[in-house]
Amino acid sequence: MEQTIQFYANAVLDPRPSVILMILAANAAVGVITETNAEKALEELRAYQADIATVLRNGCFSILPATDLVPGDIVEVSVGCKIPADMRMIEMLSNQLRVDQAILTGESCSVEKELDSTVATNAVYQDKTNILFSGTVVVAGRAKAVVVGVGANTAMGNIRDSMLRTEDEVTPLKKKLDEFGTFLAKVIAGICMLVWIVNIGHFRDPSHGGLLRGAIHYFKIAVALAVAAIPEGLPAVVTTCLALGTKRMARLNAIVRSLPSVETLGCTTVICSDKTGTLTTNMMSVSKICVFHSVHHGPVTAEYSISGTTYSPEGVVLDSAGIQLDFPAQLPCLLHIAMCSALCNESILQYNPDKGDYEKIGEATEVALRVLAEKVGLPGFNSMPSALNMLSKHERASYCNRYWENQFKKVALLDFSRDRKMMSVLCSRKQLEIMFSKGAPESIISRCTNILCNDDGSTVPLTANLRTELEARFRSFAETETLRCLALALKRMPMGQQTLSFNDEQDLTFIGLVGMLDPPREEVRNAMISCMTAGIRVIVVTGDNKSTAESVCRKIGAFDHLVDFSGHSYTASEFEELPALQQALALQRMALFTRVEPSHKRMLVEALQHQNEVVAMTGDGVNDAPALKKADIGIAMGSGTAVAKSASDMVLADDNFASIVAAIAEGRAIYNNTKQFIRYMISSNIGEVVCIFVAAMLGIPDTLAPVQLLWVNLVTDGLPATAIGFNKQDSDVMKVKPRKVNEAVVTGWLFFRYLVIGAYVGLATVAGFIWWFVYSDNGPKLPYGELMNFDTCSSRETTYPCSIFDDRHPSTVSMTVLVVVEMFNALNNLSENQSLLVIPPWSNLWLVASIVLTMVLHLLILYVQPLSILFSVTPLSWAEWTVVLYLSFPVIIIDEVLKFFSRNSCGTRFNFRFRRPDVLPKELRDK
């Protein structure tokens, strides 16, 4: 025993401290990287700041650095201009000014700005239609504005400050490991004190040379117990398991930026999902077309559906029965809709080879019309569909649009105005003058006197009945399906006309009605249903208006279980007006949160965390960054802004919401594996403690030499424990509710199981030692009393030589029993509760390989001469191996019995009791 103590006193010989130092260094590196990422997120916000601005100085406009702006400066902005500061509109230089502010508010459409100030109370950014926000982009028109905020006093500055105020949350696993570490430290300290106190009567034994020396001797034994009980390899194995998880998740297109967040996914209870760009594509797309089919026979109107949800010109036209039209451009109305969409348009659609995607320049609704023209195609070419597919992506982007622009010459333009709510363009082709118009349906329809029929291309008068039918279709598109609608029309103009006036926009011929939307991603529905099956609530968070967001949620289909959104859908203003108790209740039912700005998203995350929810926040815009950083796990889209990615814990490379489901399943599996190898390591270490403790209590010789104990710690603990991280997911991993935040990583029942298994491991090890001395045919067959009094052998007459206690066989048997029993115990940890009959050993070949490798290494030190001398072991006979197996295998049977009780919920009464989570705000609980 003194040799054992001396070995632990000379800890410098133990290579494990170097491993621990490496882990600490790795943790420090992760901390530095995390801080660097936070600074990087703030740095990347600068990418959304304008570099220059057209400013009025000394009575004339000049171009100056945007950083030189001060409040009160007059700035002129125009199409394509990035707003250099927060500014208030003072003069309109065109008929309208539209701004794309999706990066700030998440709105799917550009916003029309006006000079009048808002009358809304508690106005959010979306309501401030007379304010131009720094970093947003002008997509139509020109205007003058006065600077009202620069730097930190802008909306973007508020985002930066919010990110600076946000502290990183401690992950649930870290919290529970810290709690378990504290608990384990108390247990180990108690055992050490117990060993020291129990042996007080032996302090005066002559062999110790006095009371003080005896006290120090047993104090060293207590220290040896503590060293044996502490699972030094646990941090390394946890880190390895998390790293393995990140590798598997990378194959699922979920790129983990923060290692601990791998496990956090497993206990996520609420996902706050951004709508625009996350659940939807953030690309306006025409989805429906309504035209007059015929007024003479058959149905009066006809509807067509358009496939495709992005700016890619790949899509088809489907009739009302869902049958694809082979040559849609051969139908008169669809042909003229394509012409009008291409010619009455100021936007640009192009292919970006660097991003490998199609992108827009200009108004999103106009780009959607350009894409529609590409999908309709061109008339008169039987090979047209295949011919278009043979083009390069760069040529394909606007091939049909360029065709119409080459066929027609634009002569004059009437720009959009707020009072007319329409625009018109005069085009000339082969002595034919045609005016194409597009605009709000109510404006276009009121100016139409004729309609174009889709069956034969004839033009007939627009009667009152036809007008009523058309208005009903418009209301269905706009109200029922919440589509953004535009009406298209044309007019034959006098030959040679070169100008247009507002009076020309009368007596139009109606072509068709198009409905467009920011379409939901196709895979979202199944992904959200999977989340709900797993007990994870999804809250859609968006800056869009309430009706549009509710419509998208209905299209997703994940909220079909809600009869209506009453009590489940709130705007930010409505939520803030609720009393504290009502807010707490609303949070538990909320499914949709609309008209939000960045501060509201962060507030929502904090409120949910206050209710002990583990919150995952998805997003892609700059406006999402503070909430992504505050959430327990922030999930950014791969196509999102660099700011969002830098503030997040995980990035979805494929922008697929469904990847979150796979990542959550992986997170749950990682947590289960973490529990398994903690169980394995703790039960093994408890076995070593019991071995030393029982040997000391019985007064028998040291069962294991120091070098043998070190071998067991390093080899049998490390390899199988790491291999347990490769355990496959349980079949029901996504069919159970998320674990509670306050659930201990080691419950009372589980710790009881540790003790039972650990006690058997230790007792089996001691039993192997005693067996060799008392029962083995190759041993001395000593009476048990002689074994207990081995230390007095030299001072009394015996029938056996005292050198028998220096024989290497008993410690070899003990060491081999400890190794083999821990290998069997490793198989127990393929699943926490499932039997080995259900999950066989070969389900984890890595674990089988690690066990084989461990046994090969053990056989090497037993049978290879230099190693056997180094480890103080000797070869074992077949009879001794038989006893080793007899003593080791029962650990399987014992754990199978414990698993049976666990599956039948008999172990639940052993669980530690935790206080029920409070779901009400603290101020209400105090009342």
Side-chain angles (χ1 to χ4, degrees):
M1 179 60 67
E2 289 183 356
Q3 290 178 342
T4 304
I5 307 306
Q6 185 62 36
F7 173 79
Y8 281 109
N10 297 329
V12 69
L13 299 177
D14 189 346
R16 287 173 293 177
S18 61
V19 176
I20 296 173
L21 288 175
M22 290 171 62
I23 294 167
L24 292 175
N27 288 337
V30 170
V32 171
I33 292 171
T34 301
E35 292 297 323
T36 304
N37 286 336
E39 294 174 3
K40 186 179 179 182
L42 298 176
E43 190 68 25
E44 284 168 342
L45 271 173
R46 297 181 183 177
Y48 296 91
Q49 297 176 359
D51 296 323
I52 57 175
T54 305
V55 192
L56 181 63
R57 293 282 174 88
N58 301 321
C60 62
F61 281 96
S62 56
I63 298 177
L64 297 176
T67 53
D68 291 349
L69 290 178
V70 295
D73 273 338
I74 305 298
V75 177
E76 182 177 314
V77 295
S78 58
V79 176
C81 173
K82 186 180 291 184
I83 307 298
D86 280 9
M87 304 187 294
R88 178 171 50 82
M89 297 269 292
I90 58 173
E91 184 180 353
M92 192 79 72
L93 301 179
S94 61
N95 292 321
Q96 66 163 346
L97 185 79
R98 301 191 69 87
V99 177
D100 181 356
Q101 54 188 37
I103 63 166
L104 180 65
T105 63
E107 293 168 288
S108 56
C109 299
S110 61
V111 178
E112 184 177 354
K113 296 296 182 177
E114 54 191 20
L115 299 178
D116 298 333
S117 58
T118 182
V119 295
T121 56
N122 299 323
V124 295
Y125 291 149
Q126 295 90 325
D127 297 326
K128 300 175 182 178
T129 54
N130 65 327
I131 299 295
L132 307 178
F133 296 105
S134 174
T136 60
V137 179
V138 178
V139 295
R142 290 175 57 227
K144 290 181 183 178
V146 59
V147 176
V148 295
V150 295
N153 296 321
T154 63
M156 285 292 182
N158 289 336
I159 292 177
R160 178 183 181 277
D161 292 342
S162 179
M163 292 173 68
L164 285 173
R165 291 193 302 268
T166 302
E167 297 181 0
D168 292 331
E169 296 292 323
V170 179
T171 66
L173 179 62
K174 189 177 185 304
K175 291 178 183 177
K176 294 309 166 188
L177 286 178
D178 289 344
E179 292 173 6
F180 177 67
T182 302
F183 170 72
L184 190 61
K186 292 177 180 178
V187 171
I188 292 172
I191 293 175
C192 293
M193 290 295 296
L194 180 63
V195 169
W196 194 76
I197 292 172
V198 166
N199 284 283
I200 287 179
H202 299 286
F203 286 2
R204 296 181 181 274
D205 287 353
S207 60
H208 300 316
L211 177 65
L212 181 60
R213 289 179 178 272
I216 294 174
H217 173 79
Y218 285 104
F219 176 75
K220 290 179 179 180
I221 290 178
V223 172
L225 282 173
V227 174
I230 295 172
E232 300 91 340
L234 182 59
V237 177
V238 170
T239 303
T240 301
C241 190
L242 294 177
L244 291 172
T246 62
K247 186 176 180 180
R248 287 195 293 265
M249 290 170 71
R251 291 197 292 265
L252 301 173
N253 293 311
I255 301 169
V256 176
R257 301 182 65 255
S258 173
L259 200 60
S261 64
V262 176
E263 177 276 333
T264 308
L265 276 169
C267 56
T268 298
T269 58
V270 177
I271 296 178
C272 296
S273 176
D274 185 39
K275 177 186 75 68
T276 306
T278 304
L279 298 180
T280 67
T281 62
N282 195 20
M283 300 180 187
M284 291 299 289
S285 176
V286 175
S287 62
K288 286 286 187 69
I289 294 177
C290 177
V291 299
F292 280 101
H293 179 67
S294 173
V295 296
H296 304 296
H297 52 79
V300 176
T301 59
E303 283 190 13
Y304 296 95
S305 299
I306 314 298
S307 69
T309 58
T310 67
Y311 291 142
S312 171
E314 299 165 0
V316 296
V317 181
L318 308 172
D319 63 17
S320 56
I323 301 174
Q324 178 181 340
L325 302 183
D326 293 329
F327 304 103
Q330 291 181 355
L331 296 175
C333 286
L334 295 183
L335 173 64
H336 285 84
I337 284 175
M339 289 182 191
C340 186
S341 296
L343 297 170
C344 203
N345 204 313
E346 298 296 315
S347 67
I348 298 174
L349 174 66
Q350 62 185 18
Y351 180 74
N352 187 330
D354 296 331
K355 296 181 179 179
D357 207 352
Y358 294 90
E359 60 184 18
K360 69 178 179 72
I361 298 177
E363 182 64 45
T365 54
E366 291 198 339
V367 177
L369 291 177
R370 287 215 180 273
V371 176
L372 173 62
E374 296 296 328
K375 292 176 180 178
V376 172
L378 302 176
F381 300 94
N382 292 332
S383 61
M384 178 49 61
S386 58
L388 288 175
N389 293 334
M390 293 173 64
L391 297 173
S392 68
K393 290 188 176 182
H394 179 74
E395 294 175 312
R396 181 69 186 92
S398 296
Y399 184 85
C400 298
N401 282 272
R402 284 196 299 270
Y403 174 84
W404 293 120
E405 289 171 348
N406 291 331
Q407 290 290 314
F408 289 87
K409 177 184 177 183
K410 290 186 180 181
V411 178
L413 173 70
L414 279 180
D415 203 356
F416 182 94
S417 64
R418 295 184 59 194
D419 54 347
R420 290 163 41 248
K421 294 183 180 179
M422 62 180 294
M423 70 170 292
S424 299
V425 59
L426 177 62
C427 299
S428 174
R429 177 176 183 262
K430 297 180 180 179
Q431 307 302 313
L432 179 66
E433 315 295 338
I434 299 179
M435 181 183 72
F436 291 102
S437 300
K438 82 169 190 294
E442 59 270 22
S443 297
I444 294 292
I445 294 173
S446 64
R447 289 173 165 81
C448 288
T449 56
N450 299 289
I451 60 172
L452 181 66
C453 293
N454 200 39
D455 61 342
D456 57 6
S458 61
T459 300
V460 298
L462 178 60
T463 63
N465 290 336
L466 295 177
R467 191 180 299 273
T468 302
E469 171 72 14
L470 183 57
E471 290 174 349
R473 290 286 183 162
F474 166 52
R475 286 194 300 272
S476 174
F477 276 19
E479 297 173 10
T480 305
E481 301 185 49
T482 61
L483 300 177
R484 184 185 177 101
C485 295
L486 288 175
L488 307 180
L490 59 80
K491 180 180 180 182
R492 181 79 174 267
M493 303 298 289
M495 186 179 300
Q497 182 168 336
Q498 297 294 309
T499 60
L500 282 180
S501 67
F502 295 151
N503 293 330
D504 292 323
E505 295 179 324
Q506 300 295 333
D507 300 324
L508 304 179
T509 298
F510 179 82
I511 306 174
L513 181 71
V514 297
M516 58 187 73
L517 78 163
D518 179 11
R521 296 180 183 273
E522 296 175 357
E523 65 278 356
V524 165
R525 176 189 174 94
N526 291 335
M528 293 187 72
I529 291 175
S530 296
C531 284
M532 294 177 183
T533 303
I536 301 169
R537 188 155 60 100
V538 179
I539 300 177
V540 178
V541 184
T542 179
D544 247 341
N545 64 66
K546 195 172 184 177
S547 60
T548 301
E550 289 180 355
S551 173
V552 170
C553 288
R554 289 191 184 96
K555 286 183 172 64
I556 291 171
F559 298 108
D560 290 345
H561 61 286
L562 301 179
V563 178
D564 59 59
F565 279 94
S566 177
H568 301 278
S569 175
Y570 296 89
T571 65
S573 299
E574 290 171 349
F575 183 78
E576 287 182 324
E577 291 172 359
L578 294 175
L581 179 59
Q582 294 294 327
Q583 285 187 353
L585 296 175
L587 281 172
Q588 297 176 15
R589 303 182 61 201
M590 183 182 292
L592 183 59
F593 197 38
T594 56
R595 301 300 282 176
V596 300
E597 54 187 42
S599 60
H600 293 133
K601 294 185 178 183
R602 190 175 187 276
M603 175 270 293
L604 176 64
V605 171
E606 290 177 339
L608 289 168
Q609 289 173 335
H610 187 62
Q611 293 190 352
N612 290 326
E613 303 280 7
V614 178
V615 184
M617 180 74 180
T618 72
D620 62 349
V622 174
N623 59 324
D624 299 318
L628 289 173
K629 196 168 188 296
K630 177 62 180 174
D632 295 289
I633 176 164
I635 305 173
M637 299 296 112
S639 62
T641 61
V643 179
K645 293 176 188 176
S646 297
S648 65
D649 300 297
M650 189 176 81
V651 178
L652 297 182
D654 58 353
D655 285 10
N656 194 335
F657 187 86
S659 296
I660 299 176
V661 180
I664 288 174
E666 190 61 46
R668 291 185 174 190
I670 287 170
Y671 180 76
N672 291 339
N673 291 345
T674 302
K675 287 178 67 176
Q676 290 309 103
F677 64 67
I678 288 176
R679 171 189 168 196
Y680 170 71
M681 296 186 73
I682 296 301
S683 59
S684 298
N685 282 33
I686 289 175
E688 295 170 15
V689 170
V690 170
C691 174
I692 296 174
F693 181 78
V694 171
M697 293 296 295
L698 296 179
I700 62 176
D702 295 342
T703 55
L704 295 172
V707 69
Q708 294 171 344
L709 191 60
L710 178 58
W711 170 259
V712 173
N713 266 343
L714 289 181
V715 178
T716 65
D717 283 0
L719 292 176
T722 303
I724 288 172
F726 289 92
N727 283 350
K728 293 182 179 180
Q729 296 179 9
D730 290 341
S731 58
D732 61 347
V733 71
M734 286 300 287
K735 296 179 182 178
V736 297
K737 292 183 178 180
R739 72 179 190 276
K740 296 179 180 178
V741 180
N742 56 4
E743 178 185 313
V745 68
V746 179
T747 61
W749 167 245
L750 200 56
F751 191 71
F752 173 76
R753 288 172 59 178
Y754 290 175
L755 290 177
V756 172
I757 297 298
Y760 180 79
V761 171
L763 292 175
T765 303
V766 175
F769 186 85
I770 296 175
W771 169 84
W772 190 87
F773 276 106
V774 178
Y775 299 106
S776 175
D777 292 335
N778 297 328
K781 293 190 176 181
L782 298 178
Y784 181 69
E786 290 294 319
L787 183 61
M788 294 182 64
N789 295 310
F790 78 98
D791 53 347
T792 61
C793 177
S794 59
S795 61
R796 57 188 173 87
E797 293 185 5
T798 60
T799 60
Y800 54 88
C802 292
S803 60
I804 194 67
F805 296 112
D806 295 326
D807 195 299
R808 290 183 295 173
H809 274 90
S811 61
T812 303
V813 171
S814 291
M815 177 186 177
T816 304
V817 168
L818 184 57
V819 169
V820 175
V821 77
E822 289 191 4
M823 294 304 99
F824 281 126
N825 190 31
L827 294 177
N828 287 333
N829 290 277
L830 284 167
S831 174
E832 182 177 337
N833 295 317
Q834 293 296 321
S835 169
L836 283 173
L837 299 176
V838 177
I839 302 180
W842 52 85
S843 64
N844 185 347
L845 294 178
W846 287 102
L847 180 59
V848 175
S850 70
I851 292 174
V852 171
L853 178 59
T854 300
M855 291 307 302
V856 168
L857 292 174
H858 186 67
L859 291 173
L860 283 176
I861 69 170
L862 289 184
Y863 295 100
V864 176
Q865 186 66 33
L867 295 176
S868 62
I869 296 174
L870 177 65
F871 286 95
S872 300
V873 293
T874 188
L876 297 181
S877 65
W878 177 247
E880 290 166 335
W881 272 107
T882 302
V883 171
V884 167
L885 292 174
Y886 280 151
L887 289 173
S888 302
F889 185 77
V891 75
I892 295 280
I893 300 173
I894 293 172
D895 200 57
E896 286 292 315
V897 173
L898 294 173
K899 286 180 178 180
F900 174 80
F901 283 115
S902 294
R903 289 195 299 272
N904 290 276
S905 303
C906 295
T908 55
R909 62 178 177 270
F910 291 91
N911 287 341
F912 294 132
R913 301 298 183 195
F914 287 92
R915 183 171 56 86
R916 181 181 178 272
D918 294 312
V919 297
L920 297 181
K922 184 178 184 301
E923 58 271 14
L924 291 179
R925 298 200 305 269
D926 294 341
K927 292 180 181 179

PDB file of all heavy atoms in Angstrom, residues 869-883:
ATOM      1  N   ILE A 869       7.922  -7.806 -16.920  1.00  0.00           N
ATOM      2  CA  ILE A 869       8.771  -7.373 -15.805  1.00  0.00           C
ATOM      3  C   ILE A 869       8.469  -5.923 -15.448  1.00  0.00           C
ATOM      4  O   ILE A 869       8.367  -5.555 -14.271  1.00  0.00           O
ATOM      5  CB  ILE A 869      10.251  -7.559 -16.167  1.00  0.00           C
ATOM      6  CG1 ILE A 869      10.577  -9.045 -16.376  1.00  0.00           C
ATOM      7  CG2 ILE A 869      11.149  -6.961 -15.081  1.00  0.00           C
ATOM      8  CD1 ILE A 869      11.981  -9.311 -16.880  1.00  0.00           C
ATOM      9  N   LEU A 870       8.288  -5.078 -16.480  1.00  0.00           N
ATOM     10  CA  LEU A 870       8.020  -3.651 -16.258  1.00  0.00           C
ATOM     11  C   LEU A 870       6.724  -3.448 -15.481  1.00  0.00           C
ATOM     12  O   LEU A 870       6.654  -2.600 -14.590  1.00  0.00           O
ATOM     13  CB  LEU A 870       7.960  -2.923 -17.598  1.00  0.00           C
ATOM     14  CG  LEU A 870       7.620  -1.431 -17.552  1.00  0.00           C
ATOM     15  CD1 LEU A 870       8.718  -0.661 -16.826  1.00  0.00           C
ATOM     16  CD2 LEU A 870       7.443  -0.892 -18.971  1.00  0.00           C
ATOM     17  N   PHE A 871       5.693  -4.261 -15.794  1.00  0.00           N
ATOM     18  CA  PHE A 871       4.385  -4.086 -15.150  1.00  0.00           C
ATOM     19  C   PHE A 871       4.165  -5.042 -13.982  1.00  0.00           C
ATOM     20  O   PHE A 871       3.053  -5.115 -13.451  1.00  0.00           O
ATOM     21  CB  PHE A 871       3.273  -4.286 -16.186  1.00  0.00           C
ATOM     22  CG  PHE A 871       3.140  -3.139 -17.148  1.00  0.00           C
ATOM     23  CD1 PHE A 871       3.770  -3.169 -18.385  1.00  0.00           C
ATOM     24  CD2 PHE A 871       2.396  -2.014 -16.806  1.00  0.00           C
ATOM     25  CE1 PHE A 871       3.650  -2.103 -19.266  1.00  0.00           C
ATOM     26  CE2 PHE A 871       2.276  -0.955 -17.679  1.00  0.00           C
ATOM     27  CZ  PHE A 871       2.911  -1.000 -18.921  1.00  0.00           C
ATOM     28  N   SER A 872       5.212  -5.765 -13.575  1.00  0.00           N
ATOM     29  CA  SER A 872       5.144  -6.662 -12.417  1.00  0.00           C
ATOM     30  C   SER A 872       4.037  -7.695 -12.569  1.00  0.00           C
ATOM     31  O   SER A 872       3.241  -7.924 -11.646  1.00  0.00           O
ATOM     32  CB  SER A 872       4.949  -5.862 -11.114  1.00  0.00           C
ATOM     33  OG  SER A 872       6.008  -4.971 -10.919  1.00  0.00           O
ATOM     34  N   VAL A 873       3.932  -8.292 -13.764  1.00  0.00           N
ATOM     35  CA  VAL A 873       2.915  -9.311 -14.012  1.00  0.00           C
ATOM     36  C   VAL A 873       3.598 -10.580 -14.488  1.00  0.00           C
ATOM     37  O   VAL A 873       4.805 -10.600 -14.766  1.00  0.00           O
ATOM     38  CB  VAL A 873       1.888  -8.825 -15.068  1.00  0.00           C
ATOM     39  CG1 VAL A 873       1.066  -7.685 -14.524  1.00  0.00           C
ATOM     40  CG2 VAL A 873       2.577  -8.453 -16.374  1.00  0.00           C
ATOM     41  N   THR A 874       2.796 -11.643 -14.593  1.00  0.00           N
ATOM     42  CA  THR A 874       3.321 -12.926 -15.018  1.00  0.00           C
ATOM     43  C   THR A 874       2.262 -13.628 -15.856  1.00  0.00           C
ATOM     44  O   THR A 874       1.068 -13.358 -15.699  1.00  0.00           O
ATOM     45  CB  THR A 874       3.683 -13.792 -13.794  1.00  0.00           C
ATOM     46  OG1 THR A 874       4.367 -14.967 -14.221  1.00  0.00           O
ATOM     47  CG2 THR A 874       2.432 -14.163 -13.011  1.00  0.00           C
ATOM     48  N   PRO A 875       2.627 -14.532 -16.737  1.00  0.00           N
ATOM     49  CA  PRO A 875       1.619 -15.235 -17.561  1.00  0.00           C
ATOM     50  C   PRO A 875       0.648 -16.022 -16.685  1.00  0.00           C
ATOM     51  O   PRO A 875       1.009 -16.558 -15.640  1.00  0.00           O
ATOM     52  CB  PRO A 875       2.454 -16.156 -18.435  1.00  0.00           C
ATOM     53  CG  PRO A 875       3.790 -15.497 -18.497  1.00  0.00           C
ATOM     54  CD  PRO A 875       4.001 -14.854 -17.165  1.00  0.00           C
ATOM     55  N   LEU A 876      -0.615 -16.091 -17.149  1.00  0.00           N
ATOM     56  CA  LEU A 876      -1.649 -16.812 -16.423  1.00  0.00           C
ATOM     57  C   LEU A 876      -1.935 -18.137 -17.106  1.00  0.00           C
ATOM     58  O   LEU A 876      -1.837 -18.267 -18.332  1.00  0.00           O
ATOM     59  CB  LEU A 876      -2.935 -15.983 -16.371  1.00  0.00           C
ATOM     60  CG  LEU A 876      -2.871 -14.643 -15.643  1.00  0.00           C
ATOM     61  CD1 LEU A 876      -4.240 -13.961 -15.675  1.00  0.00           C
ATOM     62  CD2 LEU A 876      -2.391 -14.809 -14.210  1.00  0.00           C
ATOM     63  N   SER A 877      -2.298 -19.118 -16.282  1.00  0.00           N
ATOM     64  CA  SER A 877      -2.677 -20.424 -16.814  1.00  0.00           C
ATOM     65  C   SER A 877      -4.131 -20.381 -17.263  1.00  0.00           C
ATOM     66  O   SER A 877      -4.869 -19.442 -16.978  1.00  0.00           O
ATOM     67  CB  SER A 877      -2.497 -21.492 -15.729  1.00  0.00           C
ATOM     68  OG  SER A 877      -3.416 -21.246 -14.657  1.00  0.00           O
ATOM     69  N   TRP A 878      -4.548 -21.455 -17.998  1.00  0.00           N
ATOM     70  CA  TRP A 878      -5.947 -21.509 -18.461  1.00  0.00           C
ATOM     71  C   TRP A 878      -6.918 -21.540 -17.281  1.00  0.00           C
ATOM     72  O   TRP A 878      -7.994 -20.935 -17.335  1.00  0.00           O
ATOM     73  CB  TRP A 878      -6.131 -22.725 -19.346  1.00  0.00           C
ATOM     74  CG  TRP A 878      -7.569 -22.869 -19.791  1.00  0.00           C
ATOM     75  CD1 TRP A 878      -8.436 -23.845 -19.451  1.00  0.00           C
ATOM     76  CD2 TRP A 878      -8.284 -21.958 -20.621  1.00  0.00           C
ATOM     77  NE1 TRP A 878      -9.666 -23.617 -20.022  1.00  0.00           N
ATOM     78  CE2 TRP A 878      -9.597 -22.454 -20.752  1.00  0.00           C
ATOM     79  CE3 TRP A 878      -7.938 -20.771 -21.274  1.00  0.00           C
ATOM     80  CZ2 TRP A 878     -10.574 -21.823 -21.514  1.00  0.00           C
ATOM     81  CZ3 TRP A 878      -8.904 -20.131 -22.032  1.00  0.00           C
ATOM     82  CH2 TRP A 878     -10.218 -20.651 -22.142  1.00  0.00           C
ATOM     83  N   ALA A 879      -6.561 -22.209 -16.195  1.00  0.00           N
ATOM     84  CA  ALA A 879      -7.430 -22.254 -15.015  1.00  0.00           C
ATOM     85  C   ALA A 879      -7.609 -20.852 -14.431  1.00  0.00           C
ATOM     86  O   ALA A 879      -8.711 -20.481 -13.994  1.00  0.00           O
ATOM     87  CB  ALA A 879      -6.838 -23.202 -13.974  1.00  0.00           C
ATOM     88  N   GLU A 880      -6.536 -20.109 -14.421  1.00  0.00           N
ATOM     89  CA  GLU A 880      -6.629 -18.733 -13.898  1.00  0.00           C
ATOM     90  C   GLU A 880      -7.471 -17.854 -14.824  1.00  0.00           C
ATOM     91  O   GLU A 880      -8.258 -17.034 -14.355  1.00  0.00           O
ATOM     92  CB  GLU A 880      -5.218 -18.167 -13.720  1.00  0.00           C
ATOM     93  CG  GLU A 880      -4.457 -18.841 -12.578  1.00  0.00           C
ATOM     94  CD  GLU A 880      -2.959 -18.544 -12.597  1.00  0.00           C
ATOM     95  OE1 GLU A 880      -2.427 -18.238 -13.688  1.00  0.00           O
ATOM     96  OE2 GLU A 880      -2.339 -18.621 -11.536  1.00  0.00           O
ATOM     97  N   TRP A 881      -7.335 -18.039 -16.139  1.00  0.00           N
ATOM     98  CA  TRP A 881      -8.179 -17.285 -17.075  1.00  0.00           C
ATOM     99  C   TRP A 881      -9.655 -17.654 -16.912  1.00  0.00           C
ATOM    100  O   TRP A 881     -10.541 -16.795 -17.025  1.00  0.00           O
ATOM    101  CB  TRP A 881      -7.741 -17.569 -18.515  1.00  0.00           C
ATOM    102  CG  TRP A 881      -6.655 -16.640 -19.010  1.00  0.00           C
ATOM    103  CD1 TRP A 881      -5.352 -16.951 -19.213  1.00  0.00           C
ATOM    104  CD2 TRP A 881      -6.810 -15.262 -19.347  1.00  0.00           C
ATOM    105  NE1 TRP A 881      -4.659 -15.855 -19.658  1.00  0.00           N
ATOM    106  CE2 TRP A 881      -5.533 -14.801 -19.762  1.00  0.00           C
ATOM    107  CE3 TRP A 881      -7.871 -14.390 -19.339  1.00  0.00           C
ATOM    108  CZ2 TRP A 881      -5.316 -13.481 -20.160  1.00  0.00           C
ATOM    109  CZ3 TRP A 881      -7.652 -13.067 -19.736  1.00  0.00           C
ATOM    110  CH2 TRP A 881      -6.390 -12.634 -20.140  1.00  0.00           C
ATOM    111  N   THR A 882      -9.920 -18.930 -16.620  1.00  0.00           N
ATOM    112  CA  THR A 882     -11.308 -19.358 -16.408  1.00  0.00           C
ATOM    113  C   THR A 882     -11.914 -18.633 -15.212  1.00  0.00           C
ATOM    114  O   THR A 882     -13.056 -18.149 -15.258  1.00  0.00           O
ATOM    115  CB  THR A 882     -11.361 -20.879 -16.183  1.00  0.00           C
ATOM    116  OG1 THR A 882     -10.781 -21.543 -17.305  1.00  0.00           O
ATOM    117  CG2 THR A 882     -12.806 -21.342 -16.003  1.00  0.00           C
ATOM    118  N   VAL A 883     -11.162 -18.534 -14.123  1.00  0.00           N
ATOM    119  CA  VAL A 883     -11.651 -17.822 -12.931  1.00  0.00           C
ATOM    120  C   VAL A 883     -11.852 -16.341 -13.250  1.00  0.00           C
ATOM    121  O   VAL A 883     -12.825 -15.709 -12.806  1.00  0.00           O
ATOM    122  CB  VAL A 883     -10.666 -18.009 -11.760  1.00  0.00           C
ATOM    123  CG1 VAL A 883     -11.042 -17.101 -10.585  1.00  0.00           C
ATOM    124  CG2 VAL A 883     -10.646 -19.460 -11.317  1.00  0.00           C
TER     125      VAL A 883
END
